[in-house]
Amino acid sequence: MTGHHDDYHALLARREAMKLRDNLLRPSRSTGGDNGHPPAPLQPYDGAADQEAITRSLAAVTPFGTLINRLYEAMFSQHPYLRQLFPDSMEFQQAHLEKAFWYMIDHLDRPDELTAAFAQLGRDHRRLGVLPVHYEVFEASLVTALRACAGHAWTAEAEQAWVRMTRTVSAAMVNGAQRAIGEPVSWNATVTEHERRGADLAVIRVRPAEPYPFRAGQYARVESPMLPHTWRPYTPACVPGEELEFHVRRTGPGGVSDALVTQTRVGDELRLGPAQGHATLDEQLDRDILIVAGGTGWASAKGLLQELSHRRPAGLSAHLFLGSRTEAELYDETALARLEERCPWLRVTRVIDDGRHGDLLMDTVLKAGAGAAGSGSASGSGSTSGTGGADWSRHTVFVSGPAGLVASAGWRFTEAGVPQDRIRHDPLPVTSTGGAQNTPSAHSVPSAHSAPQGLTTQGFAAPVRAHFAAGAAAQL
């Protein structure tokens, strides 16, 4: 009986999504027909024109912090029941929405990229209990907030551009949710092991109640029952199996990482969102592999190497450069040593970088060159292992770790001639706000306005000093 009940509600949700999608893409009454006549047929969306109009309006509605506060005030005052869909602390949600606004504006002239990113976001929002009707509520609240912030400076042209932008991404999110309607929203997982590897670091193993589909290199959003509606991304340090392994570094008090490291115990229940990300091995392995990992970015590297050990064709090799601030912070040495012993095709270079000698990890990588260095180590004194040039252009490159490392590595690999489509990593967080910029290719370092909530964008960042204190870029 339960199955029929679920199917019935799934059908209702699908019909509601299809109806709202059509409504969202229809011009508003203010711009459509009159006297009961239907509005004119929808023309192809001119995102570039709306980008210009919205950019001209930014002086009246930024900084976005005030706009977002007023948006949520309007939403919760008119629809108090929606507050339960959000975490107790709105700080992260507000920061995420600001990133999303900048991303929308930056990508309005590239509607295919925009809709693809927000289709994925719509799929993800299913786990939060978001329904199609909520997008209409969001639009109305946004218009209220825009008018309040801009005052007399507000124009009909600006409002219509904001509404069209919002409806475009809302329609993409509804479509994304609709396409995923047969997929689980989340997976319950029981903690089977919790091992502290330092004051602020834990290795956690969980057993999902049902098989959890993912590929090595993808990440999962994790929710702790101590912080409902608050999800953070972590990359499994394994290949698919009965259990998943996560490496979590505590980044501060009160957040998900704090709950997972200091308060989680064996037997606790966590929730996992669907796997995401494209930092995975190719289906056809025909290039040697280079992996650069710092801190808990080792988790992603570990999973990739495990998959490679099962699928590697004869003659293919891999080189891992693993960075940490101190030797003591190489927290998974036993597992790494086993991989080295088992895999003669794997070369490992450990780099101890305390930050006093610039970007020692990437300096070591580029000096080593393709296949020039064997197992070894480099230290903060400036010594490195390996000799040769800096030509990794024949490899597929994976980078995981702190955001500064990922940004620096992507920029420097590109400067060294590695094709952008062969530099793979998890998405980077937003680092600043400002105007739009072009973003040319996949898997490369994101612009200052990266895709919201873990969606990969493209473009380049200037080199950034790498630090290992914060853990993996996706592991916040």
Side-chain angles (χ1 to χ4, degrees), residues 28 139 143 146 158-168:
S28 64
E139 178 189 311
V143 169
L146 288 166
E159 182 167 311
Q160 290 165 7
W162 275 88
V163 167
R164 282 191 294 267
M165 177 179 73
T166 303
R167 290 187 177 186
T168 298

Side-chain angles (χ1 to χ4, degrees), residues 31-49:
T31 59
D34 58 295
N35 298 324
H37 297 293
L42 181 65
Q43 299 299 314
Y45 180 55
D46 186 359

Side-chain angles (χ1 to χ4, degrees), residues 166-202:
T166 303
R167 290 187 177 186
T168 298
V169 300
S170 296
M173 293 178 73
V174 169
N175 278 329
Q178 179 188 353
R179 288 197 298 269
I181 205 163
E183 301 175 7
V185 174
S186 63
W187 286 255
N188 293 327
T190 303
V191 177
T192 58
E193 293 182 33
H194 187 283
E195 182 182 354
R196 296 287 286 269
R197 299 281 180 91
D200 292 322
L201 194 145

Side-chain angles (χ1 to χ4, degrees), residues 5-139:
H5 184 267
D6 291 342
D7 291 343
Y8 172 72
H9 282 282
L11 178 61
L12 287 181
R14 184 188 296 273
R15 291 181 62 187
E16 183 182 13
M18 293 174 68
K19 196 161 76 175
L20 179 62
R21 177 193 61 192
D22 294 338
N23 289 340
L24 287 168
L25 289 174
R26 189 177 299 132
S28 64
R29 294 184 183 89
S30 62
T31 59
D34 58 295
N35 298 324
H37 297 293
L42 181 65
Q43 299 299 314
Y45 180 55
D46 186 359
D50 280 348
Q51 185 181 62
E52 292 180 8
I54 290 171
T55 300
R56 287 194 296 269
S57 76
L58 288 178
V61 298
T62 54
F64 280 145
T66 301
L67 175 70
I68 292 168
N69 284 336
R70 289 184 170 176
L71 186 159
Y72 284 121
E73 287 172 6
M75 181 186 294
F76 297 149
S77 64
Q78 294 295 317
H79 306 276
Y81 74 95
L82 289 178
R83 185 63 183 86
Q84 66 185 341
L85 298 181
F86 294 85
D88 292 340
S89 172
M90 292 291 291
E91 183 177 352
F92 179 84
Q93 175 64 26
Q94 290 170 326
H96 160 57
L97 183 54
E98 179 169 351
K99 297 174 189 178
F101 279 149
W102 284 119
Y103 184 83
M104 293 180 214
I105 297 166
D106 282 357
H107 289 74
L108 271 178
D109 57 345
R110 285 156 285 159
D112 290 345
E113 291 182 35
L114 184 68
T115 55
F118 279 88
Q120 177 65 54
L121 194 60
R123 173 179 178 260
D124 300 340
H125 271 52
R126 296 175 306 136
R127 71 175 186 272
L128 304 175
V130 175
L131 299 175
V133 69
H134 296 150
Y135 296 111
E136 293 181 339
V137 172
F138 177 87
E139 178 189 311

Side-chain angles (χ1 to χ4, degrees), residues 294-379:
T296 51
W298 157 243
S300 178
K302 185 177 182 180
L304 291 169
L305 290 171
Q306 287 181 1
E307 179 178 333
L308 191 60
S309 70
H310 298 314
R311 295 180 49 213
R312 184 188 71 92
L316 188 141
S317 66
H319 196 147
L320 167 68
F321 289 82
L322 180 60
S324 71
R325 292 181 301 176
T326 65
E327 288 190 19
E329 291 190 9
L330 293 169
Y331 61 88
D332 205 25
E333 269 295 294
T334 301
L336 179 55
R338 281 200 300 266
L339 266 175
E340 286 184 276
E341 185 177 350
R342 235 174 357 107
C343 305
W345 45 266
L346 171 64
R347 298 172 176 175
V348 178
T349 301
R350 297 162 177 83
V351 181
I352 307 304
D353 183 1
D354 59 11
R356 292 182 299 173
H357 301 276
D359 190 352
L360 181 62
L361 176 56
M362 278 306 300
D363 289 346
T364 304
V365 172
L366 295 178
K367 288 178 182 176
S375 295
S377 63
S379 70

Side-chain angles (χ1 to χ4, degrees), residues 193-372:
E193 293 182 33
H194 187 283
E195 182 182 354
R196 296 287 286 269
R197 299 281 180 91
D200 292 322
L201 194 145
V203 172
I204 303 170
R205 295 188 67 85
V206 302
R207 182 184 295 268
E210 298 177 353
Y212 182 78
F214 75 100
R215 291 194 58 195
Q218 290 188 303
Y219 57 91
R221 298 195 179 279
V222 179
E223 181 197 51
S224 165
M226 300 171 207
L227 292 167
H229 307 302
T230 306
W231 300 72
R232 296 293 182 271
Y234 296 92
T235 303
C238 56
V239 292
E242 291 186 354
E243 294 190 346
L244 280 70
E245 177 178 306
F246 294 108
H247 300 179
V248 183
R249 187 182 298 277
R250 178 180 177 271
T251 58
V256 174
S257 62
D258 183 30
L260 292 175
V261 172
T262 66
Q263 302 175 54
T264 299
R265 302 291 181 266
V266 171
D268 288 351
E269 294 286 327
L270 305 176
R271 277 210 301 162
L272 312 178
Q276 300 178 44
H278 304 284
T280 56
L281 294 171
D282 292 330
E283 291 296 334
Q284 181 175 349
L285 294 171
D286 54 8
R287 294 182 181 276
D288 289 338
I289 303 297
L290 169 64
I291 302 176
V292 180
T296 51
W298 157 243
S300 178
K302 185 177 182 180
L304 291 169
L305 290 171
Q306 287 181 1
E307 179 178 333
L308 191 60
S309 70
H310 298 314
R311 295 180 49 213
R312 184 188 71 92
L316 188 141
S317 66
H319 196 147
L320 167 68
F321 289 82
L322 180 60
S324 71
R325 292 181 301 176
T326 65
E327 288 190 19
E329 291 190 9
L330 293 169
Y331 61 88
D332 205 25
E333 269 295 294
T334 301
L336 179 55
R338 281 200 300 266
L339 266 175
E340 286 184 276
E341 185 177 350
R342 235 174 357 107
C343 305
W345 45 266
L346 171 64
R347 298 172 176 175
V348 178
T349 301
R350 297 162 177 83
V351 181
I352 307 304
D353 183 1
D354 59 11
R356 292 182 299 173
H357 301 276
D359 190 352
L360 181 62
L361 176 56
M362 278 306 300
D363 289 346
T364 304
V365 172
L366 295 178
K367 288 178 182 176

